[in-house]
Structures are given as C-alpha cells and as structure tokens.
Amino acid sequence: MTVTESAATVQGKRKTKVGRVVSDRMDKTIVVSVERLTRHRLYKRVIRLTTKFKAHDEANEAHIGDTVLIEESRPLSATKRWRLVQVVQRASDHGASAELELIAEEAAVSEAIHGAAHPGRVKHDAEGEAGGDEADVEPSDAAASADAAKDGDA
C-alpha cells in the first residue's frame, strides 16, 4: 500500500454531523450546536446533550438558525477542526410556520395540564369575565354558592 492510497482511505472515513448554527459573528467561522440523545448512567432516563463545534465557513454563507452539515477536517486553528459542507435548511424556511404550530401546540398542552391538575373543572377563557377565580368553578359549586347567597339575603 502506498502513501497516496492510505490518504484516500482516511479521507473517506471522515465524520459528518448535522447541527444548528448558534453563532456566525467570527469571520469565516461558525459555531454549530449538535444535539444527541443518550441514556443517563444512574437514572436510566433519556437526556439531551448538546455539543458545540467550531467549523470553517469560507464564504460566510451560514447564518444563525440555519441547519448545516459539517465534516471533520485537519486542525484549522486552535479550536477549529470542522468545515462546512452544506446548508441543509435556512432559518427563514422554517421560521413562520413553525411558530404558528408552536402556539397551537402550547395551548393544547396548557389545557391538558389544567385538566390533569383539576379533574372535573372546565377552564374558561379570561375574556369577558371579571374575576380569575370564577373561571375554574365547577358547575355544582356555582349552583351551591348561588343558593347560599339567596338564603343569606332572605
């Protein structure tokens, strides 16, 4: 095996990672955050770990929020060991629609949490109601309190 053949085989085994750009303030350098899921050693619970890599971006084409593909390379500086291969998805491509989905999902999650915390109670919107405490009153409690007020006035 010659020296050129061994270099070709090493080049084919370079690691690649997909992550989100968290900083592009440096010239020709981006900071890419890569998330991975792993099991906690003691609690056996799946946790999300984040690692930041500095990658070389020759044309300054990646911006904050973009999803990018980076590849392992030779050391380019004291901390830079990766280079940008391609921008997988721009931040503007998934910004507006994802925000609307998140708002709808947040309302559904909030309602589910309220239902689990207060079984049997109905959560009403705050619009049109004067007091916040009256929104979580059970129907049977409302009738009982109206009867008690009527007896107290008479």
Side-chain angles (χ1 to χ4, degrees):
M1 186 182 237
T2 64
V3 175
T4 56
E5 289 175 353
S6 65
T9 57
V10 170
Q11 209 166 18
K13 295 183 180 181
R14 289 188 173 168
K15 296 175 188 168
T16 60
K17 297 186 182 291
V18 176
R20 191 167 304 264
V21 177
V22 293
S23 174
D24 62 349
R25 300 185 84 182
M26 294 172 276
D27 187 33
K28 297 185 180 183
T29 303
I30 55 174
V31 180
V32 180
S33 174
V34 177
E35 289 185 347
R36 62 188 172 94
L37 298 176
T38 185
R39 191 169 295 277
H40 193 278
R41 284 183 284 148
L42 178 62
Y43 301 118
K44 309 297 187 238
R45 178 119 178 156
V46 176
I47 56 175
R48 184 183 317 254
L49 296 177
T50 305
T51 309
K52 290 181 181 179
F53 297 100
K54 288 190 178 124
H56 184 68
D57 181 10
E58 183 66 35
N60 288 325
E61 58 182 298
H63 302 291
I64 294 177
D66 293 350
T67 303
V68 295
L69 176 69
I70 57 174
E71 181 182 55
E72 195 175 30
S73 70
R74 64 181 175 84
L76 299 169
S77 73
T79 57
K80 199 165 33 167
R81 305 284 191 272
W82 298 80
R83 67 179 183 85
L84 176 69
V85 176
Q86 72 175 16
V87 178
V88 176
Q89 190 173 26
R90 295 274 177 200
S92 60
D93 293 347
H94 53 79
S97 62
E99 189 173 316
L100 292 175
E101 292 174 9
L102 185 64
I103 292 171
E105 182 180 335
E106 186 177 326
V109 169
S110 174
E111 196 167 321
I113 290 171
H114 182 271
H118 308 288
R121 291 188 181 178
V122 179
K123 185 176 181 181
H124 300 287
D125 290 335
E127 297 173 9
E129 294 183 12
D133 293 339
E134 297 173 7
D136 290 335
V137 175
E138 292 185 29
S140 60
D141 290 346
S145 62
D147 290 339
K150 197 184 297 183
D151 291 340
D153 290 340

mmCIF file of all heavy atoms in Angstrom, residues 23-60:
data_model
loop_
_atom_site.group_PDB
_atom_site.id
_atom_site.type_symbol
_atom_site.label_atom_id
_atom_site.label_comp_id
_atom_site.label_asym_id
_atom_site.label_seq_id
_atom_site.Cartn_x
_atom_site.Cartn_y
_atom_site.Cartn_z
ATOM 1 N N SER A 23 -23.842 30.737 16.265
ATOM 2 C CA SER A 23 -23.098 31.978 16.166
ATOM 3 C C SER A 23 -22.395 32.047 14.814
ATOM 4 O O SER A 23 -21.836 31.051 14.353
ATOM 5 C CB SER A 23 -22.062 32.072 17.292
ATOM 6 O OG SER A 23 -21.242 33.207 17.107
ATOM 7 N N ASP A 24 -22.431 33.244 14.209
ATOM 8 C CA ASP A 24 -21.702 33.472 12.960
ATOM 9 C C ASP A 24 -20.953 34.798 13.020
ATOM 10 O O ASP A 24 -20.665 35.403 12.007
ATOM 11 C CB ASP A 24 -22.643 33.431 11.758
ATOM 12 C CG ASP A 24 -23.692 34.519 11.804
ATOM 13 O OD1 ASP A 24 -23.831 35.178 12.844
ATOM 14 O OD2 ASP A 24 -24.384 34.711 10.784
ATOM 15 N N ARG A 25 -20.615 35.244 14.214
ATOM 16 C CA ARG A 25 -20.004 36.564 14.403
ATOM 17 C C ARG A 25 -18.537 36.594 13.980
ATOM 18 O O ARG A 25 -18.017 37.649 13.657
ATOM 19 C CB ARG A 25 -20.126 36.996 15.856
ATOM 20 C CG ARG A 25 -21.591 37.082 16.291
ATOM 21 C CD ARG A 25 -21.718 37.622 17.665
ATOM 22 N NE ARG A 25 -21.693 39.084 17.563
ATOM 23 C CZ ARG A 25 -21.740 39.903 18.590
ATOM 24 N NH1 ARG A 25 -21.806 39.407 19.800
ATOM 25 N NH2 ARG A 25 -21.727 41.195 18.421
ATOM 26 N N MET A 26 -17.862 35.453 13.981
ATOM 27 C CA MET A 26 -16.459 35.414 13.583
ATOM 28 C C MET A 26 -16.360 35.361 12.058
ATOM 29 O O MET A 26 -17.266 34.861 11.381
ATOM 30 C CB MET A 26 -15.767 34.199 14.195
ATOM 31 C CG MET A 26 -15.680 34.250 15.703
ATOM 32 S SD MET A 26 -15.076 32.734 16.430
ATOM 33 C CE MET A 26 -16.595 31.797 16.500
ATOM 34 N N ASP A 27 -15.248 35.847 11.517
ATOM 35 C CA ASP A 27 -15.041 35.819 10.078
ATOM 36 C C ASP A 27 -14.640 34.414 9.640
ATOM 37 O O ASP A 27 -13.691 33.842 10.175
ATOM 38 C CB ASP A 27 -13.953 36.826 9.696
ATOM 39 C CG ASP A 27 -13.816 36.968 8.191
ATOM 40 O OD1 ASP A 27 -14.850 36.849 7.495
ATOM 41 O OD2 ASP A 27 -12.694 37.193 7.722
ATOM 42 N N LYS A 28 -15.393 33.855 8.694
ATOM 43 C CA LYS A 28 -15.140 32.524 8.123
ATOM 44 C C LYS A 28 -15.238 31.397 9.144
ATOM 45 O O LYS A 28 -14.703 30.316 8.947
ATOM 46 C CB LYS A 28 -13.778 32.485 7.429
ATOM 47 C CG LYS A 28 -13.675 33.424 6.258
ATOM 48 C CD LYS A 28 -12.365 33.254 5.554
ATOM 49 C CE LYS A 28 -12.291 34.224 4.376
ATOM 50 N NZ LYS A 28 -11.048 34.044 3.618
ATOM 51 N N THR A 29 -15.930 31.635 10.239
ATOM 52 C CA THR A 29 -16.098 30.608 11.271
ATOM 53 C C THR A 29 -17.527 30.648 11.796
ATOM 54 O O THR A 29 -18.079 31.719 12.012
ATOM 55 C CB THR A 29 -15.129 30.840 12.444
ATOM 56 O OG1 THR A 29 -13.798 30.859 11.949
ATOM 57 C CG2 THR A 29 -15.245 29.755 13.487
ATOM 58 N N ILE A 30 -18.117 29.481 11.975
ATOM 59 C CA ILE A 30 -19.446 29.374 12.587
ATOM 60 C C ILE A 30 -19.342 28.433 13.782
ATOM 61 O O ILE A 30 -18.468 27.567 13.828
ATOM 62 C CB ILE A 30 -20.512 28.858 11.590
ATOM 63 C CG1 ILE A 30 -20.089 27.520 10.969
ATOM 64 C CG2 ILE A 30 -20.802 29.896 10.532
ATOM 65 C CD1 ILE A 30 -21.138 26.881 10.095
ATOM 66 N N VAL A 31 -20.236 28.612 14.737
ATOM 67 C CA VAL A 31 -20.341 27.705 15.879
ATOM 68 C C VAL A 31 -21.623 26.906 15.678
ATOM 69 O O VAL A 31 -22.710 27.467 15.550
ATOM 70 C CB VAL A 31 -20.377 28.468 17.219
ATOM 71 C CG1 VAL A 31 -20.495 27.498 18.374
ATOM 72 C CG2 VAL A 31 -19.145 29.331 17.369
ATOM 73 N N VAL A 32 -21.466 25.587 15.622
ATOM 74 C CA VAL A 32 -22.577 24.692 15.343
ATOM 75 C C VAL A 32 -22.885 23.877 16.586
ATOM 76 O O VAL A 32 -22.001 23.257 17.172
ATOM 77 C CB VAL A 32 -22.240 23.751 14.165
ATOM 78 C CG1 VAL A 32 -23.396 22.822 13.864
ATOM 79 C CG2 VAL A 32 -21.873 24.552 12.934
ATOM 80 N N SER A 33 -24.149 23.883 16.992
ATOM 81 C CA SER A 33 -24.599 23.125 18.148
ATOM 82 C C SER A 33 -25.232 21.816 17.666
ATOM 83 O O SER A 33 -26.183 21.829 16.887
ATOM 84 C CB SER A 33 -25.620 23.947 18.934
ATOM 85 O OG SER A 33 -26.164 23.191 19.972
ATOM 86 N N VAL A 34 -24.690 20.694 18.121
ATOM 87 C CA VAL A 34 -25.179 19.378 17.724
ATOM 88 C C VAL A 34 -25.791 18.722 18.949
ATOM 89 O O VAL A 34 -25.140 18.603 19.995
ATOM 90 C CB VAL A 34 -24.035 18.507 17.156
ATOM 91 C CG1 VAL A 34 -24.535 17.115 16.818
ATOM 92 C CG2 VAL A 34 -23.432 19.172 15.936
ATOM 93 N N GLU A 35 -27.045 18.287 18.834
ATOM 94 C CA GLU A 35 -27.732 17.621 19.939
ATOM 95 C C GLU A 35 -27.714 16.119 19.733
ATOM 96 O O GLU A 35 -27.810 15.638 18.609
ATOM 97 C CB GLU A 35 -29.181 18.097 20.032
ATOM 98 C CG GLU A 35 -29.320 19.510 20.510
ATOM 99 C CD GLU A 35 -30.765 19.906 20.706
ATOM 100 O OE1 GLU A 35 -31.665 19.174 20.238
ATOM 101 O OE2 GLU A 35 -30.994 20.947 21.319
ATOM 102 N N ARG A 36 -27.587 15.393 20.846
ATOM 103 C CA ARG A 36 -27.665 13.937 20.784
ATOM 104 C C ARG A 36 -28.420 13.441 22.010
ATOM 105 O O ARG A 36 -28.413 14.081 23.072
ATOM 106 C CB ARG A 36 -26.280 13.309 20.695
ATOM 107 C CG ARG A 36 -25.394 13.586 21.874
ATOM 108 C CD ARG A 36 -23.965 13.100 21.608
ATOM 109 N NE ARG A 36 -23.092 13.551 22.678
ATOM 110 C CZ ARG A 36 -22.794 12.830 23.748
ATOM 111 N NH1 ARG A 36 -23.313 11.626 23.896
ATOM 112 N NH2 ARG A 36 -21.992 13.316 24.670
ATOM 113 N N LEU A 37 -29.075 12.305 21.855
ATOM 114 C CA LEU A 37 -29.817 11.697 22.954
ATOM 115 C C LEU A 37 -28.998 10.550 23.511
ATOM 116 O O LEU A 37 -28.444 9.745 22.765
ATOM 117 C CB LEU A 37 -31.171 11.178 22.462
ATOM 118 C CG LEU A 37 -32.128 12.231 21.914
ATOM 119 C CD1 LEU A 37 -33.379 11.571 21.382
ATOM 120 C CD2 LEU A 37 -32.480 13.248 22.970
ATOM 121 N N THR A 38 -28.921 10.487 24.820
ATOM 122 C CA THR A 38 -28.200 9.402 25.474
ATOM 123 C C THR A 38 -28.920 9.027 26.765
ATOM 124 O O THR A 38 -29.702 9.813 27.297
ATOM 125 C CB THR A 38 -26.736 9.801 25.755
ATOM 126 O OG1 THR A 38 -26.044 8.675 26.273
ATOM 127 C CG2 THR A 38 -26.643 10.947 26.741
ATOM 128 N N ARG A 39 -28.641 7.840 27.243
ATOM 129 C CA ARG A 39 -29.281 7.371 28.472
ATOM 130 C C ARG A 39 -28.408 7.732 29.664
ATOM 131 O O ARG A 39 -27.197 7.527 29.649
ATOM 132 C CB ARG A 39 -29.483 5.861 28.402
ATOM 133 C CG ARG A 39 -30.353 5.309 29.492
ATOM 134 C CD ARG A 39 -30.744 3.887 29.229
ATOM 135 N NE ARG A 39 -31.578 3.735 28.062
ATOM 136 C CZ ARG A 39 -32.895 3.922 28.044
ATOM 137 N NH1 ARG A 39 -33.522 4.289 29.142
ATOM 138 N NH2 ARG A 39 -33.590 3.744 26.945
ATOM 139 N N HIS A 40 -29.029 8.279 30.715
ATOM 140 C CA HIS A 40 -28.304 8.641 31.932
ATOM 141 C C HIS A 40 -27.813 7.367 32.606
ATOM 142 O O HIS A 40 -28.559 6.388 32.723
ATOM 143 C CB HIS A 40 -29.221 9.431 32.864
ATOM 144 C CG HIS A 40 -28.494 10.112 33.976
ATOM 145 N ND1 HIS A 40 -28.124 9.451 35.132
ATOM 146 C CD2 HIS A 40 -28.055 11.393 34.108
ATOM 147 C CE1 HIS A 40 -27.492 10.292 35.939
ATOM 148 N NE2 HIS A 40 -27.431 11.477 35.339
ATOM 149 N N ARG A 41 -26.565 7.383 33.078
ATOM 150 C CA ARG A 41 -25.968 6.171 33.643
ATOM 151 C C ARG A 41 -26.668 5.704 34.908
ATOM 152 O O ARG A 41 -26.898 4.513 35.103
ATOM 153 C CB ARG A 41 -24.500 6.406 33.954
ATOM 154 C CG ARG A 41 -23.631 6.404 32.718
ATOM 155 C CD ARG A 41 -22.176 6.573 33.083
ATOM 156 N NE ARG A 41 -21.954 7.982 33.425
ATOM 157 C CZ ARG A 41 -21.067 8.407 34.313
ATOM 158 N NH1 ARG A 41 -20.327 7.556 34.959
ATOM 159 N NH2 ARG A 41 -20.925 9.690 34.552
ATOM 160 N N LEU A 42 -27.051 6.632 35.778
ATOM 161 C CA LEU A 42 -27.647 6.263 37.056
ATOM 162 C C LEU A 42 -29.163 6.138 36.967
ATOM 163 O O LEU A 42 -29.753 5.166 37.426
ATOM 164 C CB LEU A 42 -27.260 7.297 38.122
ATOM 165 C CG LEU A 42 -27.842 7.094 39.506
ATOM 166 C CD1 LEU A 42 -27.360 5.775 40.097
ATOM 167 C CD2 LEU A 42 -27.464 8.241 40.421
ATOM 168 N N TYR A 43 -29.813 7.140 36.358
ATOM 169 C CA TYR A 43 -31.271 7.200 36.377
ATOM 170 C C TYR A 43 -31.923 6.522 35.185
ATOM 171 O O TYR A 43 -33.143 6.423 35.124
ATOM 172 C CB TYR A 43 -31.717 8.660 36.474
ATOM 173 C CG TYR A 43 -31.183 9.321 37.721
ATOM 174 C CD1 TYR A 43 -30.321 10.401 37.627
ATOM 175 C CD2 TYR A 43 -31.509 8.845 38.975
ATOM 176 C CE1 TYR A 43 -29.813 11.001 38.764
ATOM 177 C CE2 TYR A 43 -31.003 9.432 40.110
ATOM 178 C CZ TYR A 43 -30.159 10.512 40.001
ATOM 179 O OH TYR A 43 -29.654 11.089 41.124
ATOM 180 N N LYS A 44 -31.135 6.089 34.206
ATOM 181 C CA LYS A 44 -31.627 5.360 33.032
ATOM 182 C C LYS A 44 -32.676 6.137 32.245
ATOM 183 O O LYS A 44 -33.527 5.571 31.592
ATOM 184 C CB LYS A 44 -32.216 4.004 33.437
ATOM 185 C CG LYS A 44 -31.332 3.151 34.302
ATOM 186 C CD LYS A 44 -30.057 2.769 33.600
ATOM 187 C CE LYS A 44 -29.283 1.769 34.425
ATOM 188 N NZ LYS A 44 -27.957 2.193 34.768
ATOM 189 N N ARG A 45 -32.603 7.435 32.335
ATOM 190 C CA ARG A 45 -33.561 8.294 31.640
ATOM 191 C C ARG A 45 -32.877 8.874 30.409
ATOM 192 O O ARG A 45 -31.682 9.186 30.446
ATOM 193 C CB ARG A 45 -33.964 9.413 32.592
ATOM 194 C CG ARG A 45 -34.897 10.399 32.053
ATOM 195 C CD ARG A 45 -36.135 10.399 32.849
ATOM 196 N NE ARG A 45 -36.997 11.438 32.298
ATOM 197 C CZ ARG A 45 -38.264 11.430 32.428
ATOM 198 N NH1 ARG A 45 -38.830 10.463 33.114
ATOM 199 N NH2 ARG A 45 -39.005 12.364 31.901
ATOM 200 N N VAL A 46 -33.592 9.028 29.315
ATOM 201 C CA VAL A 46 -33.005 9.585 28.105
ATOM 202 C C VAL A 46 -32.867 11.091 28.284
ATOM 203 O O VAL A 46 -33.832 11.780 28.621
ATOM 204 C CB VAL A 46 -33.874 9.265 26.871
ATOM 205 C CG1 VAL A 46 -33.309 9.936 25.645
ATOM 206 C CG2 VAL A 46 -33.962 7.779 26.670
ATOM 207 N N ILE A 47 -31.645 11.595 28.084
ATOM 208 C CA ILE A 47 -31.393 13.019 28.241
ATOM 209 C C ILE A 47 -30.806 13.565 26.939
ATOM 210 O O ILE A 47 -30.240 12.826 26.136
ATOM 211 C CB ILE A 47 -30.433 13.314 29.424
ATOM 212 C CG1 ILE A 47 -29.129 12.553 29.275
ATOM 213 C CG2 ILE A 47 -31.095 13.000 30.741
ATOM 214 C CD1 ILE A 47 -28.097 12.887 30.318
ATOM 215 N N ARG A 48 -30.953 14.871 26.741
ATOM 216 C CA ARG A 48 -30.479 15.537 25.540
ATOM 217 C C ARG A 48 -29.188 16.284 25.880
ATOM 218 O O ARG A 48 -29.172 17.135 26.763
ATOM 219 C CB ARG A 48 -31.541 16.523 25.060
ATOM 220 C CG ARG A 48 -31.234 17.206 23.779
ATOM 221 C CD ARG A 48 -32.319 18.210 23.442
ATOM 222 N NE ARG A 48 -33.642 17.694 23.693
ATOM 223 C CZ ARG A 48 -34.484 17.313 22.725
ATOM 224 N NH1 ARG A 48 -34.141 17.409 21.493
ATOM 225 N NH2 ARG A 48 -35.677 16.867 23.038
ATOM 226 N N LEU A 49 -28.106 15.936 25.193
ATOM 227 C CA LEU A 49 -26.821 16.577 25.401
ATOM 228 C C LEU A 49 -26.471 17.425 24.180
ATOM 229 O O LEU A 49 -26.724 17.018 23.049
ATOM 230 C CB LEU A 49 -25.722 15.542 25.634
ATOM 231 C CG LEU A 49 -25.869 14.686 26.893
ATOM 232 C CD1 LEU A 49 -24.764 13.654 26.961
ATOM 233 C CD2 LEU A 49 -25.842 15.555 28.118
ATOM 234 N N THR A 50 -25.880 18.581 24.404
ATOM 235 C CA THR A 50 -25.522 19.496 23.329
ATOM 236 C C THR A 50 -24.017 19.689 23.318
ATOM 237 O O THR A 50 -23.403 19.895 24.364
ATOM 238 C CB THR A 50 -26.211 20.856 23.538
ATOM 239 O OG1 THR A 50 -27.613 20.645 23.649
ATOM 240 C CG2 THR A 50 -25.952 21.778 22.373
ATOM 241 N N THR A 51 -23.440 19.610 22.120
ATOM 242 C CA THR A 51 -22.018 19.850 21.946
ATOM 243 C C THR A 51 -21.844 20.929 20.893
ATOM 244 O O THR A 51 -22.538 20.933 19.882
ATOM 245 C CB THR A 51 -21.295 18.568 21.489
ATOM 246 O OG1 THR A 51 -21.639 17.507 22.360
ATOM 247 C CG2 THR A 51 -19.801 18.760 21.494
ATOM 248 N N LYS A 52 -20.910 21.857 21.141
ATOM 249 C CA LYS A 52 -20.662 22.938 20.185
ATOM 250 C C LYS A 52 -19.357 22.678 19.448
ATOM 251 O O LYS A 52 -18.344 22.339 20.066
ATOM 252 C CB LYS A 52 -20.585 24.286 20.898
ATOM 253 C CG LYS A 52 -21.914 24.757 21.436
ATOM 254 C CD LYS A 52 -21.751 26.112 22.093
ATOM 255 C CE LYS A 52 -23.063 26.588 22.659
ATOM 256 N NZ LYS A 52 -22.905 27.891 23.314
ATOM 257 N N PHE A 53 -19.399 22.841 18.119
ATOM 258 C CA PHE A 53 -18.231 22.683 17.283
ATOM 259 C C PHE A 53 -18.002 23.981 16.520
ATOM 260 O O PHE A 53 -18.955 24.606 16.053
ATOM 261 C CB PHE A 53 -18.431 21.551 16.263
ATOM 262 C CG PHE A 53 -18.622 20.200 16.893
ATOM 263 C CD1 PHE A 53 -19.884 19.655 17.042
ATOM 264 C CD2 PHE A 53 -17.536 19.458 17.326
ATOM 265 C CE1 PHE A 53 -20.067 18.408 17.604
ATOM 266 C CE2 PHE A 53 -17.700 18.214 17.894
ATOM 267 C CZ PHE A 53 -18.971 17.691 18.038
ATOM 268 N N LYS A 54 -16.726 24.351 16.366
ATOM 269 C CA LYS A 54 -16.390 25.488 15.505
ATOM 270 C C LYS A 54 -16.057 24.924 14.130
ATOM 271 O O LYS A 54 -15.248 24.000 14.013
ATOM 272 C CB LYS A 54 -15.218 26.273 16.075
ATOM 273 C CG LYS A 54 -15.625 27.048 17.294
ATOM 274 C CD LYS A 54 -14.555 28.016 17.718
ATOM 275 C CE LYS A 54 -15.050 28.788 18.913
ATOM 276 N NZ LYS A 54 -14.187 28.696 20.053
ATOM 277 N N ALA A 55 -16.670 25.491 13.098
ATOM 278 C CA ALA A 55 -16.484 24.995 11.734
ATOM 279 C C ALA A 55 -16.059 26.124 10.815
ATOM 280 O O ALA A 55 -16.460 27.278 11.001
ATOM 281 C CB ALA A 55 -17.778 24.361 11.227
ATOM 282 N N HIS A 56 -15.270 25.776 9.807
ATOM 283 C CA HIS A 56 -14.773 26.749 8.840
ATOM 284 C C HIS A 56 -15.838 26.987 7.770
ATOM 285 O O HIS A 56 -16.323 26.049 7.144
ATOM 286 C CB HIS A 56 -13.481 26.235 8.201
ATOM 287 C CG HIS A 56 -12.855 27.199 7.263
ATOM 288 N ND1 HIS A 56 -12.296 28.382 7.698
ATOM 289 C CD2 HIS A 56 -12.700 27.183 5.917
ATOM 290 C CE1 HIS A 56 -11.814 29.034 6.649
ATOM 291 N NE2 HIS A 56 -12.045 28.328 5.560
ATOM 292 N N ASP A 57 -16.216 28.246 7.574
ATOM 293 C CA ASP A 57 -17.207 28.646 6.574
ATOM 294 C C ASP A 57 -16.533 29.670 5.655
ATOM 295 O O ASP A 57 -16.538 30.866 5.928
ATOM 296 C CB ASP A 57 -18.429 29.243 7.280
ATOM 297 C CG ASP A 57 -19.519 29.675 6.326
ATOM 298 O OD1 ASP A 57 -19.428 29.361 5.133
ATOM 299 O OD2 ASP A 57 -20.463 30.330 6.797
ATOM 300 N N GLU A 58 -15.938 29.196 4.572
ATOM 301 C CA GLU A 58 -15.100 30.037 3.712
ATOM 302 C C GLU A 58 -15.857 31.226 3.139
ATOM 303 O O GLU A 58 -15.354 32.341 3.109
ATOM 304 C CB GLU A 58 -14.528 29.196 2.564
ATOM 305 C CG GLU A 58 -13.590 29.936 1.635
ATOM 306 C CD GLU A 58 -12.300 30.378 2.317
ATOM 307 O OE1 GLU A 58 -11.811 29.654 3.193
ATOM 308 O OE2 GLU A 58 -11.781 31.459 1.955
ATOM 309 N N ALA A 59 -17.101 31.025 2.719
ATOM 310 C CA ALA A 59 -17.856 32.086 2.045
ATOM 311 C C ALA A 59 -18.793 32.847 2.983
ATOM 312 O O ALA A 59 -19.573 33.680 2.523
ATOM 313 C CB ALA A 59 -18.662 31.499 0.879
ATOM 314 N N ASN A 60 -18.769 32.557 4.272
ATOM 315 C CA ASN A 60 -19.686 33.172 5.236
ATOM 316 C C ASN A 60 -21.143 33.030 4.792
ATOM 317 O O ASN A 60 -21.927 33.965 4.861
ATOM 318 C CB ASN A 60 -19.345 34.654 5.460
ATOM 319 C CG ASN A 60 -18.082 34.826 6.260
ATOM 320 O OD1 ASN A 60 -17.797 34.037 7.151
ATOM 321 N ND2 ASN A 60 -17.313 35.837 5.928
#
